[in-house]
Amino acid sequence: VPAKTYDTGAYHEPGAIGILFKIVHAFLYLVQPNTFPQGKQINYFCLKYRFVIDAIYYEIGFIVSAALGLLFILLLPLVGLCFCMCRCCDNCGGEMHQRQKKNADCQRSCFATFLFVASLIIRQVVGVLCAYAANQHLTNQVRGAKKLVNSNFKDMKIFLNDTPAQIDYLVSQYNTTKDKALSDLNSKYFKGVFFKQIHLFAAIRETKEALENVSVSVEVLQEGTERLHANLTDVKMHLSNTLNDSACNAAQAASTCNIIRNSLGQLNINANFSGLPGVSSQLAKINDVLKIDLSSLVQKWNMFVLLDIKSVLESIGSNITTFTRALPVQKILADLMVYLTQSEAYVQDYFPLVEQYDFYRWLGCLILCCMLVLILVFYYLGLLCGTCGYDKHASPTTRGCISNTGGNFLMAGVGFSFLFSWVLMIVVVLTFVTGGNVEKLVCEPFEDKNLFKVLDTPYLLNKHWKNYLAGIIFKNPNVNLTFEKVYSDCKENKGIYTSLHLEYLFNINELLNISMYTEDVALKIEHIQINLSKIILLDEIGKENLLNFSSSGIDGIDFSAYMTEINKSVTKVDLLSFANDLEARADQLPKGALENALKGHANNIRMIHNQQVVPLEQAMSTLNQSIRLLKRTSSELMVKVKNVISAVNAAQNLINNNASQVIVQETKKYMDTIIGYFEQYTEWVKESISMEVAACKPIANVIDTAVDIFLCSYIADSVNTFWFGLGGSSMFLIPAIIFAVKLSKYYRRMDTEDVYDDTENGNNGYHKEHLYGIHNPVFT
């Protein structure tokens, strides 16, 4: 069955970002390890009013994670507010005074290292880059989605347009089956009854072709040898004149010229075809025999039998065509084409709007990433300025401007962390709950087909229907038609007739039940009445021509004379060897006119060989094959003529006496063969309709494109990767805030500091200025 090739490849390869997708899938498995509920469980939960409780149990991982996110949203701004108020009261590190400690350098280094790891390495790689890559990946896929959408629409149009042509092809193949049945009935049985022994005419035609080849070949050889003889005579004359030149009398050339002069006698023809006898009389007698046309005689009485059977077979084909046209296929396909065209126009109109909204989404996500980048910039600048400007010999109150700026950058990063953290976490919680549930409730069940099993659960989608899809299509929910089976069959590119169980709408077995036509064929054959008494297979003139052929004289051809001349060579000497030898002897002569003249004669002899001797050798080969064929078949033809005349007489006697009875008997024997042809045809049609006609691969591609590619691969994976990166960065804000506040104390310039005193003053020689009234000399 002719089928089109579909362009859509419903498979998406994410590339390098696929590693992040797998990491996110693993994280979601940790959050939600519960298996997808079966349809019976869902149905049971709904009937027992436990759906809410079981849904909470199933979603417990998402609920706990979302609750932690809400706590983050509520508490971090509140903690930030309290932290700011506390610092305004010179608490929580707000006092611009730093107590000197012996391990201060170690603490500063640790805080700087922890902040660098938490803020730059972990958050930047895991967080910002991950979120940005997911954001950009979704935008790139949306931009390229139009090509995939158009490919699906194109395949669906091919599917709808190609289906009527496939049905017409199946119907048209009935004529092939019918013609094969009539041809076999004609050739294998009717001709076999009367003409099993009439194989003579092929042999006679071969004999005629052989005689024609002999006649033509002999004529060509006679003309060619005469022309060759004349040319060789001219060559000998010119060579003789050249050898009579005075240059040959020289001592160095005399012996060579004498050798060449003595070899001139070899330049003559060897075979003589002028004396061979002709075959024109034998050819004329064979042409008279071939005027008998037995095939036309067969057709005269064959058509009486074939017309009745042909009418029965054509009535079967007419019934098949009528039934096919009665099917509502064209109307259904036309309605689907209108709906498909409208859907394509709708998508084309609104796709620019989708791209525009996607740009707004991309911009919003980019702003969220920039919030994190801004915090990272402040932390990075704080670490850079603080580390580069830090002077371990300077006291806290005398720290340089660069170091103080680094501390201010760190505190600015802390401030922006409190300002942006709750916004980031709101986005993370919303996308986490949405994208995570889409992955767990749609994408994973779709991949392992559990989603279809849920949809196929009896009485789930409609409490009165056992099979929802069958109820929609056939209005009969008891038909075993499931979403999973339809999708699997279309995925394997089976025909839509098998996939949707359309036998419940129209049953092709009733149309293709050949037994309903068997009785009509049998009745027609039973009542065949044929009168062949007036048919004469071979009249007296035809018999006389066959008898005359036995005395056509083919066996009297002098084959030995032909073979004698054929076995000879065209010339007495090989002209190429003679020319090469002549040229070699010319090279032995002194340089001059004699040498050049002899080489010219050698080239002339080569030309004669190529232009005349080679064609004559080919004609001799053809003549050899034809003579051998005639010699082999001449004796066999005489026997075949006698067998033909005997077979024709027997066939004529059969026609005159009981031909009608024999024909009916042979036709009855052939009836089973005729029925077998149509059984093969019907089985082929059934198999084609089930597996090839309207192969529904495009329908499965549309579902895969919409769910697996667009929803899961493009949207869900990108969204989940985005919140995974953004959420990771947001969580690392907490340790970064702590380390940044601690570290800023070591970079910022303090208003007061501890000064060293005698150990007698207590506190290990360190005391506070406001306790002892000692003013800092730097500020006095």
Side-chain angles (χ1 to χ4, degrees):
V1 178
K4 298 293 183 180
T5 302
Y6 299 120
D7 297 333
T8 303
Y11 175 75
H12 173 66
E13 181 60 43
I17 200 173
I19 299 175
L20 295 178
F21 293 164
K22 292 180 180 179
I23 295 174
V24 174
H25 292 166
F27 178 78
L28 285 174
Y29 178 76
L30 295 176
V31 174
Q32 170 57 290
N34 298 324
T35 58
F36 190 74
Q38 300 297 319
K40 293 182 179 180
Q41 294 176 338
I42 297 176
N43 200 8
Y44 175 79
F45 296 157
C46 294
L47 293 176
K48 297 297 183 179
Y49 304 102
R50 295 179 50 196
F51 181 76
V52 175
I53 298 175
D54 290 288
I56 291 175
Y57 175 77
Y58 179 77
E59 293 282 332
I60 189 65
F62 285 102
I63 294 174
V64 172
S65 300
L68 295 176
L70 293 176
L71 287 177
F72 185 96
I73 295 170
L74 297 175
L75 293 181
L76 200 62
L78 184 60
V79 171
L81 178 62
C82 296
F83 180 73
C84 292
M85 295 175 62
C86 184
R87 286 182 67 85
C88 291
C89 298
D90 290 337
N91 293 315
C92 304
E95 182 184 7
M96 298 301 290
H97 176 85
Q98 185 177 16
R99 181 178 178 83
Q100 297 294 326
K101 296 181 180 179
K102 293 181 180 181
N103 60 348
D105 291 337
C106 180
Q107 289 184 350
R108 175 180 54 80
S109 300
C110 291
F111 290 149
T113 302
F114 292 153
L115 179 61
F116 180 78
V117 172
S119 298
L120 299 182
I121 296 180
I122 298 178
R123 271 205 295 164
Q124 186 174 0
V125 175
V126 178
V128 178
L129 294 182
C130 181
Y132 178 79
N135 183 39
Q136 191 63 40
H137 178 265
L138 179 56
T139 297
N140 293 338
Q141 301 308 320
V142 170
R143 291 174 181 173
K146 189 173 184 179
K147 181 179 179 180
L148 185 58
V149 172
N150 292 336
S151 175
N152 276 275
F153 278 117
K154 179 182 177 181
D155 287 350
M156 287 299 298
K157 288 182 178 179
I158 293 175
F159 168 72
L160 296 178
N161 291 327
D162 198 41
T163 299
Q166 291 177 329
I167 296 176
D168 293 340
Y169 176 81
L170 294 181
V171 175
S172 66
Q173 289 305 301
Y174 176 82
N175 293 328
T176 304
T177 305
K178 179 189 68 177
D179 295 340
K180 175 65 176 175
L182 294 176
S183 175
D184 285 359
L185 186 65
N186 182 24
S187 61
K188 292 184 179 180
Y189 284 83
F190 294 154
K191 287 184 181 178
V193 173
F194 301 104
F195 300 102
K196 290 180 180 179
Q197 300 180 18
I198 304 179
H199 304 297
L200 175 66
F201 284 90
I204 295 178
R205 290 189 181 93
E206 291 181 359
T207 304
K208 176 189 175 183
E209 293 177 359
L211 288 172
E212 290 175 344
N213 291 334
V214 169
S215 178
V216 173
S217 299
V218 169
E219 184 177 353
V220 170
L221 289 171
Q222 290 174 348
E223 294 178 356
T225 52
E226 291 178 1
R227 187 167 60 255
L228 178 62
H229 177 70
N231 289 333
L232 291 178
T233 302
D234 290 342
V235 169
K236 287 192 297 183
M237 183 183 66
H238 288 99
L239 265 174
S240 179
N241 293 334
T242 302
L243 295 173
N244 292 330
D245 189 83
S246 59
C248 280
N249 296 328
Q252 297 177 349
S255 61
T256 302
C257 291
N258 289 331
I259 294 173
I260 297 174
R261 190 178 294 111
N262 294 332
S263 65
L264 293 181
Q266 298 176 351
L267 292 177
N268 284 315
I269 60 174
N270 189 29
N272 184 14
F273 299 98
S274 59
L276 294 177
V279 293
S280 57
S281 61
Q282 291 88 344
L283 188 60
K285 289 184 178 181
I286 288 181
N287 287 329
D288 291 337
V289 175
L290 290 177
K291 292 179 181 179
I292 304 173
D293 188 7
L294 291 181
S295 62
S296 62
L297 296 176
V298 174
Q299 296 299 328
K300 289 180 181 179
W301 60 270
N302 255 3
M303 66 179 182
F304 292 108
V305 181
L306 296 179
L307 284 177
D308 286 337
I309 299 178
K310 185 177 181 180
S311 64
V312 176
L313 301 182
E314 287 181 347
S315 66
I316 298 175
S318 177
N319 292 337
I320 294 176
T321 303
T322 303
F323 183 86
T324 303
R325 292 177 179 176
L327 297 177
V329 176
Q330 293 289 352
K331 182 179 183 304
I332 295 174
L333 294 178
D335 294 340
L336 290 176
M337 182 61 73
V338 172
Y339 176 76
L340 184 65
T341 304
Q342 293 175 350
S343 300
E344 184 178 14
Y346 179 83
V347 171
Q348 296 294 338
D349 292 340
Y350 282 92
F351 195 81
L353 188 62
V354 173
E355 291 181 329
Q356 182 179 359
Y357 284 139
D358 179 71
F359 172 75
Y360 296 150
R361 177 209 57 78
W362 174 84
L363 188 60
C365 294
L366 185 63
I367 291 174
L368 295 175
C369 293
C370 289
M371 291 180 181
L372 288 172
V373 171
L374 180 63
I375 297 173
L376 288 173
V377 168
F378 280 123
Y379 286 156
Y380 179 78
L381 291 176
L383 287 171
L384 182 64
C385 294
T387 303
C388 295
Y390 181 78
D391 184 4
K392 63 180 181 178
H393 299 292
S395 63
T397 57
T398 60
R399 289 171 181 157
C401 180
I402 297 177
S403 176
N404 185 61
T405 302
N408 291 334
F409 275 133
L410 292 177
M411 293 308 298
V414 172
F416 281 110
S417 297
F418 283 120
L419 289 176
F420 296 154
S421 60
W422 64 277
V423 178
L424 297 174
M425 190 53 67
I426 288 176
V427 175
V428 169
V429 171
L430 293 178
T431 53
F432 166 73
V433 173
T434 304
N437 279 286
V438 169
E439 175 66 28
K440 300 299 291 187
L441 296 178
V442 178
C443 298
E444 289 185 2
F446 179 82
E447 185 177 358
D448 56 20
K449 297 183 181 180
N450 282 329
L451 184 62
F452 296 109
K453 294 178 181 178
V454 171
L455 296 177
D456 293 330
T457 302
Y459 310 108
L460 178 63
L461 300 179
N462 189 318
K463 62 181 181 179
H464 301 293
W465 289 355
K466 180 179 180 181
N467 295 304
Y468 183 78
L469 185 60
I472 292 293
I473 297 178
F474 304 121
K475 307 302 180 184
N476 183 6
N478 295 320
V479 176
N480 187 22
L481 181 66
T482 61
F483 288 100
E484 181 183 10
K485 187 66 169 59
V486 172
Y487 174 78
S488 299
D489 288 345
C490 289
K491 193 77 172 176
E492 297 174 2
N493 203 26
K494 292 184 179 180
I496 200 169
Y497 184 87
T498 299
S499 301
L500 293 181
H501 293 272
L502 296 182
E503 63 270 13
Y504 291 98
L505 289 181
F506 46 89
N507 194 348
I508 61 172
N509 291 323
E510 297 178 359
L511 164 67
L512 300 175
N513 185 11
I514 199 64
S515 60
M516 61 188 297
Y517 304 108
T518 304
E519 186 176 353
D520 293 339
V521 176
L523 289 175
K524 286 285 185 181
I525 294 176
E526 187 70 29
H527 294 86
I528 287 177
Q529 297 294 330
I530 301 173
N531 184 10
L532 303 177
S533 60
K534 296 182 179 181
I535 292 179
I536 299 176
L537 293 180
L538 190 63
D539 56 11
E540 295 300 325
I541 296 177
K543 292 180 181 179
E544 185 177 355
N545 287 333
L546 288 177
L547 293 174
N548 290 336
F549 177 68
S550 63
S551 59
S552 61
I554 294 178
D555 55 344
I557 296 176
D558 190 359
F559 295 109
S560 60
Y562 279 94
M563 297 304 297
T564 300
E565 297 301 324
I566 290 172
N567 291 330
K568 296 180 180 178
S569 61
V570 178
T571 56
K572 291 183 177 181
V573 66
D574 184 7
L575 295 184
L576 287 179
S577 299
F578 187 89
N580 293 333
D581 185 62
L582 179 61
E583 188 172 6
R585 296 187 181 280
D587 290 334
Q588 299 175 1
L589 298 175
K591 302 293 182 181
L594 179 60
E595 178 192 10
N596 294 333
L598 291 177
K599 289 184 177 180
H601 291 311
N603 291 331
N604 191 20
I605 292 173
R606 290 191 184 96
M607 186 180 302
I608 291 174
H609 178 271
N610 293 330
Q611 294 181 355
Q612 298 183 31
V613 175
V614 172
L616 289 176
E617 290 176 346
Q618 294 175 352
M620 289 175 66
S621 176
T622 302
L623 179 61
N624 185 18
Q625 295 176 1
S626 301
I627 289 296
R628 291 180 183 277
L629 177 63
L630 290 174
K631 186 177 180 180
R632 184 176 65 253
T633 59
S634 59
S635 59
E636 297 176 358
L637 287 176
M638 307 311 156
V639 177
K640 290 182 178 179
V641 168
K642 296 178 181 179
N643 292 336
V644 165
I645 295 176
S646 299
V648 169
N649 290 333
Q652 187 67 58
N653 181 52
L654 181 63
I655 290 174
N656 294 335
N657 296 322
N658 58 350
S660 299
Q661 181 181 358
V662 172
I663 291 174
V664 172
Q665 291 176 353
E666 292 294 325
T667 307
K668 287 180 179 179
K669 293 179 182 178
Y670 190 58
M671 184 181 70
D672 293 336
T673 304
I674 296 177
I675 300 303
Y677 283 141
F678 292 102
E679 287 178 349
Q680 293 178 9
Y681 169 74
T682 55
E683 291 301 321
W684 173 74
V685 170
K686 292 177 183 178
E687 179 69 17
S688 299
I689 291 177
S690 301
M691 303 302 298
E692 300 181 49
V693 175
C696 57
K697 179 70 172 180
I699 298 177
N701 286 341
V702 169
I703 297 174
D704 289 339
T705 300
V707 180
D708 187 44
I709 296 180
F710 282 168
L711 179 60
C712 297
S713 297
Y714 288 179
I715 299 176
D717 284 344
S718 299
V719 170
N720 289 332
T721 305
F722 180 78
W723 63 251
F724 181 76
L726 204 64
S729 297
S730 300
M731 294 303 298
F732 277 105
L733 285 177
I734 296 176
I737 290 173
I738 297 173
F739 295 139
V741 171
K742 291 288 188 180
L743 185 59
S744 66
K745 201 75 170 179
Y746 292 91
Y747 291 155
R748 299 179 69 190
R749 185 185 297 123
M750 300 289 103
D751 293 337
T752 60
E753 64 175 303
D754 289 344
V755 296
Y756 181 77
D757 198 1
D758 295 334
T759 54
E760 300 157 353
N761 293 327
N763 296 321
N764 294 325
Y766 294 91
H767 60 83
K768 291 185 179 179
E769 169 186 291
H770 71 276
L771 295 176
Y772 297 92
I774 301 175
H775 297 283
N776 193 317
V778 177
F779 292 97
T780 31

